[in-house]
């Protein structure tokens, strides 16, 4: 823990070893600024960098992170080191204090303009659970699952920031016991607790990005709630995969934690058997020991562990570019639903209620199989930092509102 002129609690999730980035505004001043939460305040980095005449200040004036994302690892490190210096050296205190705003007074916004959005399906426990729920007689992983990180292209334009209400979507569904589909609001609205990776540096069409180049392209990590309408999904998904069952909304947390803040959270991913193709092999460990928590109406309903996720972020990045598809600044790719082996580690209601057949009880006496109107879901996470500290990801929050 570094010494700082700020009054920081030892156990703050936003300590000096975290320093994530987001976009915020305050009441009466609607222009969006780049912010760095520290303790229970947010540093207005746009204003602080301008006042310091920092070389990187022009990257922080657009109200989105994209120019900073595009600038690459050298600049990312320079900004991070400057912010740490400003917050630790007492000589900067008087200059910085006017640019610190209480977290409770800020409105956060979507931190980056999302270019393309890809979602994977890389938790072995989630994939096996889904298999058991839908194919109880022949439950196994799809034959390709251990050879490649399965994914689909989602809808970038409906990625929304934490706090955005989610309107229950309409669509087609076909109950098992009837012959014709019906149309109406989804009756099986669900969540997927996921980890998102934000691409900074673009790549060239035709040139795959190797696993070793992960840190040269990916800026940082956020939390994702991949809202899913299971009844719509079941009727529409064959043979081309998810479409309208997921494109209505995908929520992301406001703060993007830079990879540099996650060095103490890195773990060896699970052993992979069979050994993957050469382009999917990694020499550096990039499993991430995130402890995720899912709350429904304030009650903890699941604690999915990310450390055991089968395919890691560098492998997903290498796979989605191996055909020559290029990366753009602001691309977001998500891990896939994070589920562990235990019942209380399942990252979706589909799994928690076992396909809706086993509604689960809440401490207030209510039970749920899928989401009801008015339900609020909050996904949060922390990861190990240096010296026993925790790196906080904040939370991604969303409330279901009627169609
Ligand atoms: Mn998903």
């Amino acid at each position: 823990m570094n010494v700082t002129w700020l009054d920081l609690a030892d156990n703050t999730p936003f300590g000096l070893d975290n320093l994530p980035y987001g976009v915020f505004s305050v009441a009466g001043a609607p222009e969006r600024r780049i912010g760095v939460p520290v303790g229970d305040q947010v540093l207005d980095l746009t204003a602080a960098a301008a006042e310091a005449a920092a070389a990187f200040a022009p990257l922080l004036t657009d109200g989105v992170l994209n120019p900073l994302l595009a600038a690459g690892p050298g600049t990312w490190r320079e900004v991070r080191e400057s912010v740490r210096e400003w917050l630790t050296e007492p000589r900067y205190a008087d200059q910085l204090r006017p640019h610190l705003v209480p977290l409770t007074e800020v409105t956060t916004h979507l931190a980056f303009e999302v270019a393309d959005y890809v979602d994977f399906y890389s938790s072995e426990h989630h994939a096996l659970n889904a298999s058991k729920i839908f194919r109880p007689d022949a439950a196994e992983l799809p034959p390709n699952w251990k050879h490649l990180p399965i994914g689909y292209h989602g809808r970038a334009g409906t990625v929304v920031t934490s706090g955005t209400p989610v309107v229950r979507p309409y669509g087609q569904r076909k109950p098992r016991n009837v012959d014709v589909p019906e149309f109406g609001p989804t009756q099986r609205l669900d969540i997927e607790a996921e980890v998102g990776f934000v691409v900074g540096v673009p790549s060239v069409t035709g040139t795959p990005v190797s696993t070793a180049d992960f840190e040269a392209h990916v800026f940082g990590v956020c939390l994702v709630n991949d809202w899913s309408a299971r009844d719509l999904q079941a009727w529409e998904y064959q043979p081309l995969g998810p479409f309208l069952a997921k494109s209505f909304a995908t929520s992301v947390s406001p703060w993007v934690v830079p990879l540099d803040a996650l060095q103490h959270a890195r773990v060896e991913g699970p052993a992979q058997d069979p050994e993957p193709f050469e382009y999917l092999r990694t020499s550096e460990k990039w499993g991430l020991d995130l402890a995720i928590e899912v709350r429904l109406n304030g009650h903890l309903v699941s604690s999915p562990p990310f450390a055991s996720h089968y395919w890691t972020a560098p492998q997903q990045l290498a796979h989605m570019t191996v055909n020559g598809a290029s990366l753009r600044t602001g691309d977001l790719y998500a891990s896939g639903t994070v589920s562990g082996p235990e019942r209380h580690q399942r990252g979706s209601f589909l799994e928690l209620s076992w396909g809706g057949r086993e509604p689960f009880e809440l401490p207030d006496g209510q039970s749920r199989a899928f989401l009801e109107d008015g339900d609020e879901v909050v996904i949060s996470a922390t990861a190990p930092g240096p010296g026993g500290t925790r790196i906080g990801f904040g939370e991604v929050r969303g409330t279901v509102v009627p169609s």
Side-chain angles (χ1 to χ4, degrees):
M1 196 75 189
N2 297 63
V3 175
T4 174
W5 50 265
L6 285 165
D7 188 20
L8 284 186
D10 284 344
N11 62 352
T12 177
F14 296 126
L16 294 175
D17 295 307
N18 190 349
L19 304 177
Y21 300 89
V23 171
F24 75 98
S25 62
V26 293
E31 69 273 18
R32 298 182 180 195
R33 313 107 186 272
I34 310 300
V36 175
V38 56
D40 51 11
Q41 304 184 90
V42 181
L43 173 66
D44 181 342
L45 185 58
T46 300
E51 187 174 334
F56 52 76
L59 301 174
L60 306 172
T61 57
D62 284 6
V64 286
L65 292 179
N66 295 56
L68 174 63
L69 299 181
T75 303
W76 304 341
R77 209 153 293 132
E78 189 188 332
V79 175
R80 185 168 168 80
E81 280 166 11
S82 297
V83 170
R84 275 177 83 110
E85 187 184 346
W86 295 344
L87 295 174
T88 49
E89 297 287 340
R91 67 177 186 278
Y92 295 109
D94 288 344
Q95 196 179 328
L96 266 278
R97 266 197 197 96
H99 302 309
L100 287 163
V101 189
L103 257 174
T104 51
E105 290 176 17
V106 307
T107 300
T108 53
H109 304 279
L110 193 60
F112 56 101
E113 196 179 314
V114 182
D116 287 300
Y117 167 51
V118 162
D119 190 24
F120 286 95
Y121 185 63
S122 293
S123 158
E124 184 168 3
H125 297 291
H126 171 71
L128 261 181
N129 283 340
S131 224
K132 287 176 188 165
I133 290 164
F134 293 119
R135 296 172 289 278
D137 301 327
E140 54 185 28
L141 294 171
N144 55 0
W145 201 91
K146 289 209 166 175
H147 295 279
L148 55 84
I150 297 176
Y152 66 93
H153 283 93
R155 194 167 186 86
T158 51
V159 175
V160 296
T161 194
S162 176
T164 307
V166 173
V167 179
R168 181 178 296 274
Y170 270 78
Q172 289 192 27
R173 54 177 184 253
K174 195 187 80 62
R176 273 171 203 213
N177 51 354
V178 296
D179 293 332
V180 290
E182 37 183 66
F183 179 80
T186 175
Q187 296 171 344
R188 296 188 148 218
L189 185 58
D190 198 357
I191 60 147
E192 293 189 342
E194 306 196 19
V195 178
F197 295 85
V198 180
V199 172
V201 177
S203 69
V204 178
T205 303
T207 306
V209 176
S210 72
T211 57
D213 283 338
F214 172 66
E215 287 173 272
H217 289 274
V218 170
F219 173 78
V221 182
C222 63
L223 301 176
V224 175
N225 185 347
D226 173 23
W227 302 92
S228 301
R230 300 300 181 195
D231 42 1
L232 277 52
Q233 187 178 356
W235 174 233
E236 75 175 5
Y237 86 106
Q238 288 176 320
L240 289 182
F243 187 40
L244 303 180
K246 286 165 177 286
S247 63
F248 57 95
T250 305
S251 301
V252 293
S253 55
W255 309 116
V256 182
V257 176
L259 293 185
D260 272 355
L262 296 172
Q263 297 306 314
H264 288 76
R266 291 172 63 174
V267 292
E268 207 75 60
Q272 296 185 325
D273 182 22
E275 186 175 25
F277 280 104
E278 176 71 32
Y279 78 92
L280 288 169
R281 290 179 207 161
T282 51
S283 52
E284 291 196 72
K285 59 179 185 188
W286 267 108
L288 287 171
D289 184 18
L290 268 64
I292 301 171
E293 294 188 330
V294 181
R295 284 182 172 75
L296 172 66
N297 300 331
H299 308 297
L300 181 67
V301 295
S302 180
S303 303
F306 190 52
S308 56
H309 217 64
Y310 191 85
W311 296 106
T312 63
Q315 292 181 308
Q316 292 172 332
L317 184 74
H319 186 64
M320 69 192 218
T321 59
V322 73
N323 64 349
S326 54
L327 300 171
R328 294 195 289 170
T329 297
D331 281 359
L332 170 68
Y333 67 99
S335 61
T337 311
V338 183
S339 291
E342 308 295 332
R343 207 185 167 83
H344 69 277
Q345 296 177 326
R346 298 170 180 168
S348 68
F349 281 35
L350 175 78
E351 294 160 273
L352 287 166
S353 70
W354 212 249
R357 296 191 284 277
E358 300 171 17
F360 56 97
E361 300 291 324
L362 298 170
D364 62 7
Q366 296 198 41
S367 72
R368 283 290 184 284
F370 293 97
L371 290 164
E372 296 186 1
D373 291 342
D375 279 352
E376 183 192 58
V377 176
V378 176
I379 301 169
S380 59
T382 63
T389 59
R390 297 297 290 180
I391 301 293
F393 284 75
E395 62 185 33
V396 54
R397 176 184 294 267
T399 300
V400 179
V401 298
S403 312

